[in-house]
Amino acid sequence: QVQLVESGGGLVQPGGSLRLSCAASGSIFGIYVMGWYRQAPGKTRELVATITSGSSTTYGDSVKGRFTIARDGPKNTMYLQMNSLKPEDTAVYYCNAINQGILSWGRGTQVTVSS
């Protein structure tokens, strides 16, 4: 099983930037896809971005052009660069990974965008 730990969340003003990290450990060989999801209070969890082992990426419509997902294989770490943040980006951000059909989630990191 894969263990995932997110970091980098915090409080930022509208228009600001943050970079989230997701460190993977455990049975990481063969991870096919990793992703970021977020959940705001009272809302369902939604896709932010995903990246495959071949570096193909997908983005949710609300973050296209503002967020960038990346993956550092040797460091077993995934990143989410978030620019031009908006108050509606406020949520708990979770990373996940699929390895041999098994889905694993991290515990999340809070991102708050407020002046």
Side-chain angles (χ1 to χ4, degrees):
Q1 190 173 359
V2 177
Q3 289 80 48
L4 302 169
V5 179
E6 303 95 338
S7 61
L11 173 64
V12 63
Q13 292 187 341
S17 298
L18 278 177
R19 189 178 79 156
L20 304 183
S21 299
C22 173
S25 61
S27 301
I28 59 175
F29 181 78
I31 291 177
Y32 172 65
V33 61
M34 298 182 72
W36 289 98
Y37 289 74
R38 67 186 183 187
Q39 187 165 16
K43 295 188 177 181
T44 57
R45 193 170 294 189
E46 66 171 351
L47 167 72
V48 177
T50 64
I51 185 167
T52 69
S53 56
S55 298
S56 295
T57 59
T58 60
Y59 293 92
D61 288 341
S62 60
V63 307
K64 285 179 181 176
R66 300 188 298 122
F67 291 10
T68 303
I69 190 170
R71 189 169 166 180
D72 186 335
K75 293 184 178 179
N76 301 319
T77 301
M78 178 179 62
Y79 304 96
L80 184 69
Q81 178 66 43
M82 304 186 295
N83 299 327
S84 303
L85 283 161
K86 305 174 181 179
E88 51 264 42
D89 294 318
T90 296
V92 178
Y93 283 71
Y94 300 90
C95 68
N96 71 7
I98 298 175
N99 185 11
Q100 299 180 356
I102 298 174
L103 174 63
S104 301
W105 289 93
R107 292 190 172 187
T109 185
Q110 176 71 46
V111 172
T112 302
V113 184
S114 175
S115 56

